[in-house]
Amino acid sequence: MNLPLPLPLAAATRSALFEAVTALGDEAVALLAGCRGDTPIPGAEWTVAEAAAHLAMANELMAALAAGEERPYGDGTPGSLAAANAASLAERPERDPAVLAGEIARWAREFTAAAGPHSGSEPVLTPLGPMDLDTLGSYLLTHMLGHLYDIAVALGRPHPIDRHRVGLTMPFVRTAMPWVLDARASAGHNACYRLRVRGLDGFAVTFTDGAAVVSQEPPRRPDCTILIEPVTFLLIALGRCSATGALARGKVFAWGRRPWLAPAFPALFAAP
């Protein structure tokens, strides 16, 4: 498996990432205020309270990793992560949304406090594999955005995803793509894709016999160029909406020698 080499974040970008993590933790408190914890998450097995408990646990885990602790959590495969999630929820009986929201915010702040004094290029071992500390911060932000989006949809409240925050998730999304390939769907696949996220940096994903390499620029003429609106990009990457529906709504455009590849591109990956 070929992995992209992470690039250190500029100081201003790192500061913006930490500010976004802290702000999102605080927004979780407002989002969960006065809600019913037994409200089901649409399309999922969890309730709002269970999703909040998972977020509190995950934020605590990532704060510990940023502090230099070793915390084994599955082996990076979707099945093992699901099992680890189920086990952690069973061990965490608290289901009061207000209490859990406070924990989410607390551990978001603890992460930035732990990570801040260290180099962003410092290596850490995460539930999805090795990455640098700044990419772990991007991972934390991405994880929070995904689950708080689910909670917001369940409660009928505004979700927290915007273009600026999507930009801060890109280091993690790019790093994780080769790790979350669906081996069956991508087997034997050969194609070069150029992804252009409107208003943000783009990148390329090249498949050779089912193996994916992520790069800043495509190594050859792309077979399919995909232009996508930022929020839609993250929601598709997290499995929260379909590419076909986004194409129909004009949120995604595709062109090139093989533009018909665009709708099936997300299915080459299995979001954990």
Side-chain angles (χ1 to χ4, degrees), residues 199-219:
L200 301 173
D201 287 340
F203 59 98
V205 185
T206 304
F207 287 83
T208 305
D209 293 329
V213 174
V214 178
S215 57
Q216 184 63 38
E217 298 294 335

mmCIF file with all atom_site columns, all heavy atoms in Angstrom, residues 199-219:
data_model
loop_
_atom_site.group_PDB
_atom_site.id
_atom_site.type_symbol
_atom_site.label_atom_id
_atom_site.label_alt_id
_atom_site.label_comp_id
_atom_site.label_asym_id
_atom_site.label_entity_id
_atom_site.label_seq_id
_atom_site.pdbx_PDB_ins_code
_atom_site.Cartn_x
_atom_site.Cartn_y
_atom_site.Cartn_z
_atom_site.occupancy
_atom_site.B_iso_or_equiv
_atom_site.pdbx_formal_charge
_atom_site.auth_seq_id
_atom_site.auth_comp_id
_atom_site.auth_asym_id
_atom_site.auth_atom_id
_atom_site.pdbx_PDB_model_num
ATOM 1   N N   . GLY A 1 199 ? -12.926 26.040 -4.079  1.00 0.00 ? 199 GLY A N   1
ATOM 2   C CA  . GLY A 1 199 ? -12.415 26.984 -3.102  1.00 0.00 ? 199 GLY A CA  1
ATOM 3   C C   . GLY A 1 199 ? -11.302 26.437 -2.227  1.00 0.00 ? 199 GLY A C   1
ATOM 4   O O   . GLY A 1 199 ? -10.768 27.168 -1.379  1.00 0.00 ? 199 GLY A O   1
ATOM 5   N N   . LEU A 1 200 ? -10.934 25.160 -2.400  1.00 0.00 ? 200 LEU A N   1
ATOM 6   C CA  . LEU A 1 200 ? -9.883  24.535 -1.591  1.00 0.00 ? 200 LEU A CA  1
ATOM 7   C C   . LEU A 1 200 ? -8.876  23.869 -2.524  1.00 0.00 ? 200 LEU A C   1
ATOM 8   O O   . LEU A 1 200 ? -9.091  23.769 -3.723  1.00 0.00 ? 200 LEU A O   1
ATOM 9   C CB  . LEU A 1 200 ? -10.480 23.492 -0.647  1.00 0.00 ? 200 LEU A CB  1
ATOM 10  C CG  . LEU A 1 200 ? -11.539 23.982 0.349   1.00 0.00 ? 200 LEU A CG  1
ATOM 11  C CD1 . LEU A 1 200 ? -12.155 22.808 1.091   1.00 0.00 ? 200 LEU A CD1 1
ATOM 12  C CD2 . LEU A 1 200 ? -10.933 24.978 1.332   1.00 0.00 ? 200 LEU A CD2 1
ATOM 13  N N   . ASP A 1 201 ? -7.782  23.385 -1.955  1.00 0.00 ? 201 ASP A N   1
ATOM 14  C CA  . ASP A 1 201 ? -6.790  22.678 -2.757  1.00 0.00 ? 201 ASP A CA  1
ATOM 15  C C   . ASP A 1 201 ? -7.359  21.354 -3.257  1.00 0.00 ? 201 ASP A C   1
ATOM 16  O O   . ASP A 1 201 ? -8.118  20.680 -2.557  1.00 0.00 ? 201 ASP A O   1
ATOM 17  C CB  . ASP A 1 201 ? -5.536  22.385 -1.922  1.00 0.00 ? 201 ASP A CB  1
ATOM 18  C CG  . ASP A 1 201 ? -4.719  23.636 -1.667  1.00 0.00 ? 201 ASP A CG  1
ATOM 19  O OD1 . ASP A 1 201 ? -4.896  24.614 -2.423  1.00 0.00 ? 201 ASP A OD1 1
ATOM 20  O OD2 . ASP A 1 201 ? -3.916  23.634 -0.717  1.00 0.00 ? 201 ASP A OD2 1
ATOM 21  N N   . GLY A 1 202 ? -6.979  20.992 -4.465  1.00 0.00 ? 202 GLY A N   1
ATOM 22  C CA  . GLY A 1 202 ? -7.358  19.694 -5.002  1.00 0.00 ? 202 GLY A CA  1
ATOM 23  C C   . GLY A 1 202 ? -6.237  18.694 -4.844  1.00 0.00 ? 202 GLY A C   1
ATOM 24  O O   . GLY A 1 202 ? -5.163  19.007 -4.317  1.00 0.00 ? 202 GLY A O   1
ATOM 25  N N   . PHE A 1 203 ? -6.469  17.482 -5.300  1.00 0.00 ? 203 PHE A N   1
ATOM 26  C CA  . PHE A 1 203 ? -5.460  16.434 -5.261  1.00 0.00 ? 203 PHE A CA  1
ATOM 27  C C   . PHE A 1 203 ? -5.849  15.351 -6.251  1.00 0.00 ? 203 PHE A C   1
ATOM 28  O O   . PHE A 1 203 ? -6.916  15.412 -6.888  1.00 0.00 ? 203 PHE A O   1
ATOM 29  C CB  . PHE A 1 203 ? -5.308  15.858 -3.848  1.00 0.00 ? 203 PHE A CB  1
ATOM 30  C CG  . PHE A 1 203 ? -6.564  15.254 -3.274  1.00 0.00 ? 203 PHE A CG  1
ATOM 31  C CD1 . PHE A 1 203 ? -6.785  13.888 -3.326  1.00 0.00 ? 203 PHE A CD1 1
ATOM 32  C CD2 . PHE A 1 203 ? -7.508  16.058 -2.646  1.00 0.00 ? 203 PHE A CD2 1
ATOM 33  C CE1 . PHE A 1 203 ? -7.929  13.322 -2.786  1.00 0.00 ? 203 PHE A CE1 1
ATOM 34  C CE2 . PHE A 1 203 ? -8.661  15.507 -2.093  1.00 0.00 ? 203 PHE A CE2 1
ATOM 35  C CZ  . PHE A 1 203 ? -8.874  14.133 -2.166  1.00 0.00 ? 203 PHE A CZ  1
ATOM 36  N N   . ALA A 1 204 ? -4.977  14.369 -6.412  1.00 0.00 ? 204 ALA A N   1
ATOM 37  C CA  . ALA A 1 204 ? -5.208  13.289 -7.364  1.00 0.00 ? 204 ALA A CA  1
ATOM 38  C C   . ALA A 1 204 ? -5.172  11.954 -6.641  1.00 0.00 ? 204 ALA A C   1
ATOM 39  O O   . ALA A 1 204 ? -4.459  11.790 -5.649  1.00 0.00 ? 204 ALA A O   1
ATOM 40  C CB  . ALA A 1 204 ? -4.165  13.310 -8.468  1.00 0.00 ? 204 ALA A CB  1
ATOM 41  N N   . VAL A 1 205 ? -5.963  11.007 -7.141  1.00 0.00 ? 205 VAL A N   1
ATOM 42  C CA  . VAL A 1 205 ? -5.946  9.629  -6.645  1.00 0.00 ? 205 VAL A CA  1
ATOM 43  C C   . VAL A 1 205 ? -5.771  8.726  -7.859  1.00 0.00 ? 205 VAL A C   1
ATOM 44  O O   . VAL A 1 205 ? -6.599  8.755  -8.780  1.00 0.00 ? 205 VAL A O   1
ATOM 45  C CB  . VAL A 1 205 ? -7.226  9.252  -5.892  1.00 0.00 ? 205 VAL A CB  1
ATOM 46  C CG1 . VAL A 1 205 ? -7.102  7.849  -5.298  1.00 0.00 ? 205 VAL A CG1 1
ATOM 47  C CG2 . VAL A 1 205 ? -7.539  10.269 -4.803  1.00 0.00 ? 205 VAL A CG2 1
ATOM 48  N N   . THR A 1 206 ? -4.699  7.943  -7.879  1.00 0.00 ? 206 THR A N   1
ATOM 49  C CA  . THR A 1 206 ? -4.391  7.085  -9.018  1.00 0.00 ? 206 THR A CA  1
ATOM 50  C C   . THR A 1 206 ? -4.437  5.627  -8.586  1.00 0.00 ? 206 THR A C   1
ATOM 51  O O   . THR A 1 206 ? -3.748  5.234  -7.632  1.00 0.00 ? 206 THR A O   1
ATOM 52  C CB  . THR A 1 206 ? -3.003  7.413  -9.592  1.00 0.00 ? 206 THR A CB  1
ATOM 53  O OG1 . THR A 1 206 ? -2.948  8.802  -9.923  1.00 0.00 ? 206 THR A OG1 1
ATOM 54  C CG2 . THR A 1 206 ? -2.731  6.585  -10.836 1.00 0.00 ? 206 THR A CG2 1
ATOM 55  N N   . PHE A 1 207 ? -5.261  4.853  -9.271  1.00 0.00 ? 207 PHE A N   1
ATOM 56  C CA  . PHE A 1 207 ? -5.384  3.427  -8.996  1.00 0.00 ? 207 PHE A CA  1
ATOM 57  C C   . PHE A 1 207 ? -4.584  2.639  -10.026 1.00 0.00 ? 207 PHE A C   1
ATOM 58  O O   . PHE A 1 207 ? -4.712  2.866  -11.232 1.00 0.00 ? 207 PHE A O   1
ATOM 59  C CB  . PHE A 1 207 ? -6.848  2.991  -9.076  1.00 0.00 ? 207 PHE A CB  1
ATOM 60  C CG  . PHE A 1 207 ? -7.690  3.447  -7.923  1.00 0.00 ? 207 PHE A CG  1
ATOM 61  C CD1 . PHE A 1 207 ? -8.226  4.722  -7.905  1.00 0.00 ? 207 PHE A CD1 1
ATOM 62  C CD2 . PHE A 1 207 ? -7.945  2.603  -6.860  1.00 0.00 ? 207 PHE A CD2 1
ATOM 63  C CE1 . PHE A 1 207 ? -9.005  5.154  -6.845  1.00 0.00 ? 207 PHE A CE1 1
ATOM 64  C CE2 . PHE A 1 207 ? -8.729  3.019  -5.794  1.00 0.00 ? 207 PHE A CE2 1
ATOM 65  C CZ  . PHE A 1 207 ? -9.259  4.299  -5.785  1.00 0.00 ? 207 PHE A CZ  1
ATOM 66  N N   . THR A 1 208 ? -3.775  1.697  -9.523  1.00 0.00 ? 208 THR A N   1
ATOM 67  C CA  . THR A 1 208 ? -3.045  0.770  -10.384 1.00 0.00 ? 208 THR A CA  1
ATOM 68  C C   . THR A 1 208 ? -3.275  -0.632 -9.853  1.00 0.00 ? 208 THR A C   1
ATOM 69  O O   . THR A 1 208 ? -2.835  -0.959 -8.739  1.00 0.00 ? 208 THR A O   1
ATOM 70  C CB  . THR A 1 208 ? -1.543  1.081  -10.398 1.00 0.00 ? 208 THR A CB  1
ATOM 71  O OG1 . THR A 1 208 ? -1.355  2.456  -10.780 1.00 0.00 ? 208 THR A OG1 1
ATOM 72  C CG2 . THR A 1 208 ? -0.817  0.181  -11.384 1.00 0.00 ? 208 THR A CG2 1
ATOM 73  N N   . ASP A 1 209 ? -4.021  -1.429 -10.611 1.00 0.00 ? 209 ASP A N   1
ATOM 74  C CA  . ASP A 1 209 ? -4.378  -2.782 -10.164 1.00 0.00 ? 209 ASP A CA  1
ATOM 75  C C   . ASP A 1 209 ? -4.983  -2.774 -8.771  1.00 0.00 ? 209 ASP A C   1
ATOM 76  O O   . ASP A 1 209 ? -4.686  -3.624 -7.930  1.00 0.00 ? 209 ASP A O   1
ATOM 77  C CB  . ASP A 1 209 ? -3.159  -3.707 -10.196 1.00 0.00 ? 209 ASP A CB  1
ATOM 78  C CG  . ASP A 1 209 ? -2.676  -3.971 -11.622 1.00 0.00 ? 209 ASP A CG  1
ATOM 79  O OD1 . ASP A 1 209 ? -3.533  -3.971 -12.528 1.00 0.00 ? 209 ASP A OD1 1
ATOM 80  O OD2 . ASP A 1 209 ? -1.473  -4.164 -11.820 1.00 0.00 ? 209 ASP A OD2 1
ATOM 81  N N   . GLY A 1 210 ? -5.832  -1.788 -8.511  1.00 0.00 ? 210 GLY A N   1
ATOM 82  C CA  . GLY A 1 210 ? -6.565  -1.731 -7.256  1.00 0.00 ? 210 GLY A CA  1
ATOM 83  C C   . GLY A 1 210 ? -5.866  -1.024 -6.127  1.00 0.00 ? 210 GLY A C   1
ATOM 84  O O   . GLY A 1 210 ? -6.482  -0.749 -5.094  1.00 0.00 ? 210 GLY A O   1
ATOM 85  N N   . ALA A 1 211 ? -4.577  -0.715 -6.251  1.00 0.00 ? 211 ALA A N   1
ATOM 86  C CA  . ALA A 1 211 ? -3.846  0.019  -5.212  1.00 0.00 ? 211 ALA A CA  1
ATOM 87  C C   . ALA A 1 211 ? -3.935  1.516  -5.503  1.00 0.00 ? 211 ALA A C   1
ATOM 88  O O   . ALA A 1 211 ? -3.824  1.935  -6.661  1.00 0.00 ? 211 ALA A O   1
ATOM 89  C CB  . ALA A 1 211 ? -2.394  -0.425 -5.173  1.00 0.00 ? 211 ALA A CB  1
ATOM 90  N N   . ALA A 1 212 ? -4.142  2.312  -4.461  1.00 0.00 ? 212 ALA A N   1
ATOM 91  C CA  . ALA A 1 212 ? -4.347  3.749  -4.644  1.00 0.00 ? 212 ALA A CA  1
ATOM 92  C C   . ALA A 1 212 ? -3.162  4.550  -4.132  1.00 0.00 ? 212 ALA A C   1
ATOM 93  O O   . ALA A 1 212 ? -2.603  4.250  -3.075  1.00 0.00 ? 212 ALA A O   1
ATOM 94  C CB  . ALA A 1 212 ? -5.603  4.200  -3.923  1.00 0.00 ? 212 ALA A CB  1
ATOM 95  N N   . VAL A 1 213 ? -2.788  5.572  -4.892  1.00 0.00 ? 213 VAL A N   1
ATOM 96  C CA  . VAL A 1 213 ? -1.762  6.528  -4.479  1.00 0.00 ? 213 VAL A CA  1
ATOM 97  C C   . VAL A 1 213 ? -2.382  7.918  -4.545  1.00 0.00 ? 213 VAL A C   1
ATOM 98  O O   . VAL A 1 213 ? -2.978  8.290  -5.561  1.00 0.00 ? 213 VAL A O   1
ATOM 99  C CB  . VAL A 1 213 ? -0.522  6.456  -5.389  1.00 0.00 ? 213 VAL A CB  1
ATOM 100 C CG1 . VAL A 1 213 ? 0.469   7.562  -5.029  1.00 0.00 ? 213 VAL A CG1 1
ATOM 101 C CG2 . VAL A 1 213 ? 0.145   5.097  -5.284  1.00 0.00 ? 213 VAL A CG2 1
ATOM 102 N N   . VAL A 1 214 ? -2.248  8.674  -3.455  1.00 0.00 ? 214 VAL A N   1
ATOM 103 C CA  . VAL A 1 214 ? -2.742  10.046 -3.400  1.00 0.00 ? 214 VAL A CA  1
ATOM 104 C C   . VAL A 1 214 ? -1.560  10.989 -3.615  1.00 0.00 ? 214 VAL A C   1
ATOM 105 O O   . VAL A 1 214 ? -0.504  10.818 -3.003  1.00 0.00 ? 214 VAL A O   1
ATOM 106 C CB  . VAL A 1 214 ? -3.415  10.338 -2.042  1.00 0.00 ? 214 VAL A CB  1
ATOM 107 C CG1 . VAL A 1 214 ? -3.882  11.794 -1.976  1.00 0.00 ? 214 VAL A CG1 1
ATOM 108 C CG2 . VAL A 1 214 ? -4.582  9.390  -1.804  1.00 0.00 ? 214 VAL A CG2 1
ATOM 109 N N   . SER A 1 215 ? -1.732  11.968 -4.489  1.00 0.00 ? 215 SER A N   1
ATOM 110 C CA  . SER A 1 215 ? -0.665  12.922 -4.782  1.00 0.00 ? 215 SER A CA  1
ATOM 111 C C   . SER A 1 215 ? -1.259  14.307 -4.992  1.00 0.00 ? 215 SER A C   1
ATOM 112 O O   . SER A 1 215 ? -2.469  14.444 -5.253  1.00 0.00 ? 215 SER A O   1
ATOM 113 C CB  . SER A 1 215 ? 0.122   12.486 -6.029  1.00 0.00 ? 215 SER A CB  1
ATOM 114 O OG  . SER A 1 215 ? -0.744  12.355 -7.144  1.00 0.00 ? 215 SER A OG  1
ATOM 115 N N   . GLN A 1 216 ? -0.415  15.316 -4.883  1.00 0.00 ? 216 GLN A N   1
ATOM 116 C CA  . GLN A 1 216 ? -0.911  16.671 -5.079  1.00 0.00 ? 216 GLN A CA  1
ATOM 117 C C   . GLN A 1 216 ? -1.346  16.890 -6.530  1.00 0.00 ? 216 GLN A C   1
ATOM 118 O O   . GLN A 1 216 ? -2.394  17.468 -6.804  1.00 0.00 ? 216 GLN A O   1
ATOM 119 C CB  . GLN A 1 216 ? 0.156   17.690 -4.694  1.00 0.00 ? 216 GLN A CB  1
ATOM 120 C CG  . GLN A 1 216 ? -0.309  19.143 -4.779  1.00 0.00 ? 216 GLN A CG  1
ATOM 121 C CD  . GLN A 1 216 ? -1.429  19.458 -3.811  1.00 0.00 ? 216 GLN A CD  1
ATOM 122 O OE1 . GLN A 1 216 ? -1.441  18.967 -2.700  1.00 0.00 ? 216 GLN A OE1 1
ATOM 123 N NE2 . GLN A 1 216 ? -2.379  20.270 -4.245  1.00 0.00 ? 216 GLN A NE2 1
ATOM 124 N N   . GLU A 1 217 ? -0.520  16.418 -7.463  1.00 0.00 ? 217 GLU A N   1
ATOM 125 C CA  . GLU A 1 217 ? -0.822  16.551 -8.882  1.00 0.00 ? 217 GLU A CA  1
ATOM 126 C C   . GLU A 1 217 ? -0.953  15.166 -9.505  1.00 0.00 ? 217 GLU A C   1
ATOM 127 O O   . GLU A 1 217 ? -0.264  14.226 -9.081  1.00 0.00 ? 217 GLU A O   1
ATOM 128 C CB  . GLU A 1 217 ? 0.286   17.328 -9.601  1.00 0.00 ? 217 GLU A CB  1
ATOM 129 C CG  . GLU A 1 217 ? 0.460   18.751 -9.107  1.00 0.00 ? 217 GLU A CG  1
ATOM 130 C CD  . GLU A 1 217 ? -0.743  19.625 -9.402  1.00 0.00 ? 217 GLU A CD  1
ATOM 131 O OE1 . GLU A 1 217 ? -1.485  19.318 -10.362 1.00 0.00 ? 217 GLU A OE1 1
ATOM 132 O OE2 . GLU A 1 217 ? -0.945  20.615 -8.672  1.00 0.00 ? 217 GLU A OE2 1
ATOM 133 N N   . PRO A 1 218 ? -1.806  14.999 -10.507 1.00 0.00 ? 218 PRO A N   1
ATOM 134 C CA  . PRO A 1 218 ? -1.922  13.692 -11.153 1.00 0.00 ? 218 PRO A CA  1
ATOM 135 C C   . PRO A 1 218 ? -0.634  13.330 -11.887 1.00 0.00 ? 218 PRO A C   1
ATOM 136 O O   . PRO A 1 218 ? -0.018  14.188 -12.525 1.00 0.00 ? 218 PRO A O   1
ATOM 137 C CB  . PRO A 1 218 ? -3.091  13.879 -12.136 1.00 0.00 ? 218 PRO A CB  1
ATOM 138 C CG  . PRO A 1 218 ? -3.195  15.341 -12.349 1.00 0.00 ? 218 PRO A CG  1
ATOM 139 C CD  . PRO A 1 218 ? -2.724  15.993 -11.093 1.00 0.00 ? 218 PRO A CD  1
ATOM 140 N N   . PRO A 1 219 ? -0.201  12.072 -11.823 1.00 0.00 ? 219 PRO A N   1
ATOM 141 C CA  . PRO A 1 219 ? 1.038   11.663 -12.491 1.00 0.00 ? 219 PRO A CA  1
ATOM 142 C C   . PRO A 1 219 ? 0.888   11.557 -14.004 1.00 0.00 ? 219 PRO A C   1
ATOM 143 O O   . PRO A 1 219 ? 1.885   11.439 -14.718 1.00 0.00 ? 219 PRO A O   1
ATOM 144 C CB  . PRO A 1 219 ? 1.330   10.296 -11.866 1.00 0.00 ? 219 PRO A CB  1
ATOM 145 C CG  . PRO A 1 219 ? -0.011  9.775  -11.469 1.00 0.00 ? 219 PRO A CG  1
ATOM 146 C CD  . PRO A 1 219 ? -0.808  10.973 -11.065 1.00 0.00 ? 219 PRO A CD  1
#
